[in-house]
Amino acid sequence: MPSSEFEQEPQQFERLQKVLARAGIGSRRVCEKLIVEQRVTVDGKISELGEKVNPEVSQIEIDGLKIGVRQDLVYYLLNKPIGTITTSKDPQERSTVIDLVPAHPRVFPVGRLDADTEGLILLTNDGDLTHYLTHPSFGVEKEYLVQVEVKPSRNAIRELRQGVELEDGVTAPAKVSLVDEKLLKIVIHEGRNRQVRRMCESVGHPVIRLVRSRIGPIVDSSLHPGAFRELKNQELKSIRKILLKDFSNGPLNHSF
Ligand code: URA
């Protein structure tokens, strides 16, 4: 029985720095530097400069963070319209976010928005990135524009900032600002069910309209409701930069 290495077609193997660069990690030079600094592993082993990998099967990590390098990986940014639901399949046959993006390759939403919430949501077939973006330990920020009925008092804003008592516990400190008379901007890094609605309700300001305007570094005010686009390499890179920073527990001394 030939070893798995010999079962691969030779052209499936490519230089690691080329594979990393294509995945949006940085220029080849930057990727080479990461390899030299021994921050890259391939299938659990520290990689060497010049090493060849098969992007379809090799498990590549930088600073312990899994990096999706398969060529079939796609990353969509969708502006979810009101009324569309986030689950992949709805028993009531309502329209879902999956209906708004290409059917192949099959993608899944990263986290969820309520049916009555609008705004940005990512969809991808990169399970590792989904995990990192939704796992509370990475604390990726999500920004919401929140319309309320009457101008919130300073006290209400202070409470929202400090954390409010909900039935599933006190919320983490949030960034909260008043952008207009009845419009709040709230940035949270937790992802509890209907969290922003429940936070606002708990300080006496039921939400009239809720729009997610940012996911980590990703913004796009020109994307119309129902429209989607692929993430740019630069955007993917900026997401990974945040994750790597959190993962390595301190600022990186590299410009990715
Ligand atoms: N907070 C909410 O209340 N709803 C959402 O859809 C997202 C965050």
Side-chain angles (χ1 to χ4, degrees):
M1 190 73 174
S3 83
S4 59
E5 192 168 323
F6 294 111
E7 281 163 6
Q8 313 286 352
E9 291 294 320
Q11 65 267 30
Q12 286 179 316
F13 283 88
E14 293 178 85
R15 289 209 187 275
L16 179 56
Q17 61 266 38
K18 183 177 170 192
V19 170
L20 290 175
R22 191 175 54 228
I25 298 302
S27 66
R28 284 206 203 172
R29 198 189 53 76
V30 165
C31 296
E32 282 170 6
K33 191 161 177 270
L34 290 170
I35 297 167
V36 170
E37 288 171 349
Q38 305 201 327
R39 298 170 66 197
V40 184
T41 60
V42 177
D43 298 329
K45 282 199 242 131
I46 292 178
S47 66
E48 285 173 13
L49 203 58
E51 182 169 347
K52 289 193 170 179
V53 297
N54 179 346
E56 297 309 307
V57 296
S58 301
Q59 166 89 65
I60 297 176
E61 298 183 8
I62 301 177
D63 291 348
L65 189 88
K66 290 181 190 139
I67 305 293
V69 294
R70 285 195 341 256
Q71 298 223 43
D72 70 332
L73 294 179
V74 290
Y75 305 88
Y76 301 131
L77 178 68
L78 169 75
N79 184 351
K80 182 185 110 49
I82 208 159
T84 306
I85 60 162
T86 307
T87 45
S88 306
K89 187 121 191 76
D90 182 39
Q92 295 167 42
E93 311 249 302
R94 285 173 298 178
S95 141
T96 79
V97 289
I98 302 295
D99 301 330
L100 297 172
V101 295
H104 303 287
R106 190 165 160 69
V107 292
F108 298 90
V110 178
R112 55 189 300 277
L113 290 177
D114 305 328
D116 42 357
T117 301
E118 306 154 63
L120 300 180
I121 184 157
L122 293 170
L123 296 106
T124 181
N125 52 354
D126 183 340
D128 295 319
L129 194 83
T130 300
H131 170 73
Y132 296 138
L133 284 174
T134 50
H135 199 280
S137 65
F138 285 93
V140 175
E141 286 190 346
K142 283 114 195 164
E143 177 190 281
Y144 296 87
L145 293 173
V146 191
Q147 194 185 330
V148 289
E149 242 166 41
V150 291
K151 184 175 177 183
S153 64
R154 281 191 192 182
N155 217 16
I157 292 176
R158 189 178 322 120
E159 280 182 61
L160 287 171
R161 279 188 188 138
Q162 287 170 347
V164 293
E165 179 88 50
L166 300 179
E167 60 188 25
D168 49 357
V170 180
T171 58
K175 294 179 193 161
V176 183
S177 54
L178 196 61
V179 282
D180 208 344
E181 163 110 344
K182 299 169 190 171
L183 189 65
L184 287 165
K185 187 196 281 179
I186 300 186
V187 181
I188 58 172
H189 51 81
E190 300 174 289
R192 301 196 216 167
N193 195 26
R194 296 182 78 80
Q195 181 167 341
V196 174
R197 291 176 194 278
R198 290 189 293 137
M199 284 169 67
C200 292
E201 201 160 327
S202 81
V203 296
H205 290 284
V207 170
I208 308 288
R209 186 176 174 204
L210 184 56
V211 180
R212 182 150 73 187
S213 46
R214 180 167 66 82
I215 304 164
I218 309 297
V219 288
D220 191 340
S221 55
S222 65
L223 203 60
H224 297 294
F228 80 95
R229 66 168 173 83
E230 286 206 41
L231 278 191
K232 298 176 195 139
N233 246 1
Q234 192 55 41
E235 290 174 319
L236 203 51
K237 207 157 112 180
S238 59
I239 291 176
R240 292 207 173 110
K241 194 168 167 180
I242 287 181
L243 297 175
L244 278 163
K245 188 152 99 188
D246 287 351
F247 198 90
S248 55
N249 229 348
L252 284 174
N253 50 356
H254 304 272
S255 50
F256 251 49

